[in-house]
Amino acid sequence: MQFFALLTRNTQKFSDADFAPLLPPESEQRKTLYVQGAVRQIWNRGDVPGTGIMFEAADEKEVRGHLATLPLIEAGMMAITAIVPLNPYPGFGPKR
């Protein structure tokens, strides 16, 4: 099943300088999750500092487990805004 996770950086509490040392390990962990097949796609949010991540997982608990491995989440510098389960859109079903 696919899930879309919206993450928001805690820019109220942390500065760009605070984020800087964690960005390389954050990137590496995201790549690891991608290579493992847990992450399908990643976007930078256009509305606020943060990320949108498409996950392939059995359930929300698994998604939260993957997110917990991200250094920015571990450090409390990124919040999970939403985890949305996605169902297939039926409008593109088989042609008749």
Side-chain angles (χ1 to χ4, degrees), residues 14-94:
F14 299 99
S15 69
D16 287 345
D18 295 325
F19 284 100
L22 290 179
L23 295 181
E26 178 80 9
S27 177
E28 286 305 311
Q29 181 57 19
R30 289 176 182 208
K31 288 177 193 173
T32 297
L33 291 172
Y34 180 81
V35 169
Q36 292 173 349
V39 167
R40 305 270 250 148
Q41 290 183 303
I42 301 174
W43 298 269
N44 287 325
R45 292 183 61 173
D47 56 345
V48 297
T51 304
I53 303 176
M54 182 73 67
F55 282 95
E56 190 72 43
D59 53 32
E60 184 177 326
K61 182 178 178 182
E62 185 178 343
V63 173
R64 288 187 180 279
H66 292 311
L67 288 170
T69 69
L70 297 175
L72 291 177
I73 296 284
E74 289 178 319
M77 300 172 82
M78 180 96 70
I80 301 168
T81 306
I83 297 175
V84 180
L86 301 173
N87 295 315
Y89 175 66
F92 296 134

